[in-house]
Amino acid sequence: MDVERGIRVAVDTGNVTLGSNKTIQALKLGKGKLVIIAENCPKEVTEDVMQYSKLSEIPVYTFQGTSVDLGSVCGKPFTVATMMVNDPGDSTILEIVG
């Protein structure tokens, strides 16, 4: 499966939350289906995401690229360190976690 295409389709047809603060907030509430985190995400943010995702049993996928790459895959003119897939829409992105 092409992960980048899956992310783009989820952004275009589904419901995603971009940004580490909003992603962590959603994790604390147990909302969402999948967290995608950039390889170069700051260590503190990565630790928070991992901790809260374990508590809320939401899978985390590490995107093989920088936050700049993840931002461009999402079609945004800014960096995206973390994102939450709330509704995949027409995307098959949830298949990457089984």
Side-chain angles (χ1 to χ4, degrees):
M1 184 204 151
D2 184 13
V3 175
E4 291 184 10
R5 185 172 180 281
I7 292 171
R8 184 56 194 240
V9 172
V11 170
D12 291 342
T13 65
N15 181 350
V16 298
T17 303
L18 303 176
S20 49
N21 288 340
K22 291 192 175 190
T23 299
I24 290 170
Q25 195 174 33
L27 278 170
K28 287 179 181 177
L29 297 172
K31 295 182 178 177
K33 297 184 175 152
L34 171 68
V35 176
I36 299 172
I37 191 165
E39 266 183 338
N40 68 336
C41 185
K43 187 177 173 222
E44 315 81 54
V45 174
T46 304
E47 289 171 355
D48 282 352
V49 167
M50 293 303 185
Q51 177 186 355
Y52 292 119
S53 67
K54 196 175 287 184
L55 291 172
S56 55
E57 297 179 0
I58 296 172
V60 176
Y61 175 79
T62 303
F63 178 74
Q64 302 302 308
T66 65
S67 54
V68 174
D69 298 334
L70 186 54
S72 66
V73 167
C74 293
K76 303 299 178 190
F78 48 82
T79 61
V80 176
T82 66
M83 65 180 283
M84 169 78 77
V85 177
N86 302 311
D87 174 27
D90 298 335
S91 172
T92 56
I93 192 70
L94 298 181
E95 291 175 11
I96 62 173
V97 291

